[in-house]
Amino acid sequence: MPNAELTATITDAEWRVMRIVWTLGEADSHTIIDILSRQHDWKAATIKTLIGRLVKKGALGTTKDGRQYIYHPLIAEQAAMDTALTTELNQMCAMCRGKAFVHAIDETTLSQDDIRTLISHLQAKLTTAPTAVSCDCLPADYEGSC
Amino acid sequence: MPNAELTATITDAEWRVMRIVWTLGEADSHTIIDILSRQHDWKAATIKTLIGRLVKKGALGTTKDGRQYIYHPLIAEQAAMDTALTTELNQMCAMCRGKAFVHAIDETTLSQDDIRTLISHLQAKLTTAPTAVSCDCLPADYEGSC
DNA sequence: ACTCATCGTTTACAGTTGTAAACTGAATTT
DNA sequence: AAATTCAGTTTACAACTGTAAACGATGAGT
C-alpha cells in the first residue's frame, strides 16, 4: 500500500517509469524496459538509471525475486498527481488560476462522471466563494493586478 | 503586446521574476530586486542573474532608459500559465486527470465568476463527454488500468 | 577631472536531470 | 568448470538550475 511521503521530487523522465509501475501494480525491470524503450527511444541503460534513482529517492520499493527485483510503488499515483498539480498552480498568480483551469478543462478529455463530480464540487464551492480573488504577485505595499 | 512563442521553458525561480513584471506591466531592475529580495531572501546578484536569463531566452524585452533598462514581458502571463498547466497534466495518466482536477479545485480559491464559467464549460462538455476515459500509461499490447 | 555608486555582464560552482556506457556479480548454458 | 548472459550498480558527462561574487562601464557628485 503506497503511501510514503516523498522527500525529493519525481522528474519528468522518472514520471514515465512511475506510470508503468503504478498501472501494473508491480513490475520487473525487464517489463519496464520493454515498455519504455518502445514508448520513447530510450536505451535500456537510461531506464535502469531512472529506476535506480526512483528506488534511491523512495518512490519505488523492491522485492527480491531470485536474481532480480520486482519493483512496486511506495507513493500513490493520485496523491503524486494531486501534489504536482497543486504545486504548479500555487506558483502562479492567484487571480489567474481560474482562467488557467478553464483552459485546462477545455483541453482535457474528461469522463461524464468526472464532469459531474467537478460540477457538484464547484456548485458547493460557489456558496462560499469570494466575489473576486486578488493578485498575490506583489507585496502589500505595492499595488497592482494581473 | 506580449505574444512571442517561447523556445525555452521558464524555471520556478524565473517564474517569480515574471510575475512581478507581468503584474507591473514593466519594471526596472531596481524595482524587481526590491520586491523579490524581500519576498524570498535572494541576493540582488541572484535576481540579476534571473533577469539576464529571462532576457536571453526571450521572455523579457528591454527598453533603454538612460543608464538602465526597463523590462517588459514578451510572453503573455495567461498563455504561459495555460501551457504550464496543460503540460503538467499531459504528463499524467489520462484516466486520473479528472480526479486531479477535483483535488486541485478543492484546494484553490476561485471567484464566483470563475466558478460559474467553469460550471458552464463543464456542462457544455458533458454533452459530448465519453462514459469513461481509459488509462494511457501502457502500449496497446499491454492491458491495465490505473 | 576624480571618485563613488550603480546597473548590467561575466564568471563560478554545486546539485539535478537526461542520457548512456562500462563494470560486476550471480545465474544459466554448454 | 568455463563461458555466456543478464540484472543491478558505478561512472560519465553535458545542459540546466539555484545561488551568488566579481568585474567593467557609465552617470553623478565633489
Side-chain angles (χ1 to χ4, degrees):
Chain A
M1 54 230 59
N3 222 349
E5 211 50 54
L6 198 55
T7 46
T9 33
I10 295 174
T11 71
D12 289 0
E14 287 163 3
W15 198 271
R16 306 303 306 199
V17 176
M18 291 305 295
R19 284 179 63 180
I20 307 296
V21 184
W22 275 326
T23 303
L24 294 175
E26 58 172 38
D28 57 25
S29 68
H30 174 269
T31 306
I32 299 173
I33 289 171
D34 179 42
I35 294 174
L36 283 178
S37 59
R38 286 188 295 157
Q39 284 188 357
H40 314 271
D41 48 345
W42 286 344
K43 299 287 178 294
T46 301
I47 301 165
K48 288 182 188 180
T49 300
L50 295 173
I51 294 174
R53 287 179 184 167
L54 285 165
V55 172
K56 184 188 304 185
K57 66 174 65 166
L60 287 180
T62 58
T63 311
K64 196 123 205 165
D65 173 40
R67 66 206 150 289
Q68 63 177 28
Y69 286 135
I70 307 290
Y71 298 94
H72 56 92
L74 290 179
I75 59 170
E77 176 166 30
Q78 193 64 55
M81 290 178 57
D82 292 352
T83 300
L85 204 57
T86 302
T87 301
E88 186 76 28
L89 272 166
N90 284 338
Q91 188 161 231
M92 304 173 172
C93 174
M95 202 173 92
C96 312
R97 285 176 202 153
K99 291 196 187 51
F101 267 125
V102 172
H103 181 270
I105 280 184
D106 283 347
E107 297 281 302
T108 304
T109 302
L110 295 167
S111 73
Q112 291 170 14
D113 278 353
D114 284 333
I115 292 175
R116 287 197 203 92
T117 306
L118 281 164
I119 290 175
S120 91
H121 278 245
L122 284 163
Q123 275 163 348
K125 242 180 134 61
L126 192 53
T127 63
T128 56
T131 319
V133 175
S134 53
C135 170
D136 61 348
C137 297
L138 302 180
D141 50 327
Y142 282 78
E143 95 298 347
S145 54
C146 295
Chain B
M1 54 228 58
N3 222 348
E5 211 50 55
L6 197 55
T7 47
T9 33
I10 294 174
T11 71
D12 289 0
E14 288 163 3
W15 198 271
R16 306 304 306 200
V17 177
M18 291 306 294
R19 284 179 63 180
I20 307 297
V21 185
W22 275 325
T23 303
L24 294 176
E26 58 172 37
D28 57 24
S29 68
H30 174 268
T31 306
I32 300 174
I33 289 171
D34 179 42
I35 294 174
L36 283 178
S37 61
R38 287 189 295 160
Q39 283 187 358
H40 314 270
D41 48 346
W42 287 343
K43 300 287 181 290
T46 301
I47 301 165
K48 288 182 190 180
T49 301
L50 296 173
I51 294 174
R53 286 179 183 166
L54 285 166
V55 171
K56 184 187 305 184
K57 67 174 65 166
L60 287 181
T62 58
T63 310
K64 197 122 203 165
D65 172 41
R67 65 206 149 289
Q68 63 177 29
Y69 286 135
I70 307 289
Y71 299 95
H72 57 91
L74 289 179
I75 58 170
E77 175 166 31
Q78 194 64 56
M81 291 178 55
D82 292 352
T83 301
L85 204 57
T86 302
T87 301
E88 186 77 27
L89 272 166
N90 284 339
Q91 188 160 234
M92 305 174 173
C93 174
M95 203 172 93
C96 312
R97 286 177 202 152
K99 290 197 187 52
F101 268 124
V102 172
H103 182 270
I105 280 184
D106 283 348
E107 297 280 303
T108 304
T109 302
L110 295 168
S111 74
Q112 291 170 12
D113 278 352
D114 284 334
I115 292 176
R116 288 198 202 92
T117 305
L118 281 164
I119 290 175
S120 91
H121 277 245
L122 285 164
Q123 275 164 347
K125 240 178 136 59
L126 192 53
T127 63
T128 56
T131 318
V133 176
S134 52
C135 171
D136 61 348
C137 297
L138 302 179
D141 51 327
Y142 281 78
E143 95 300 344
S145 54
C146 295

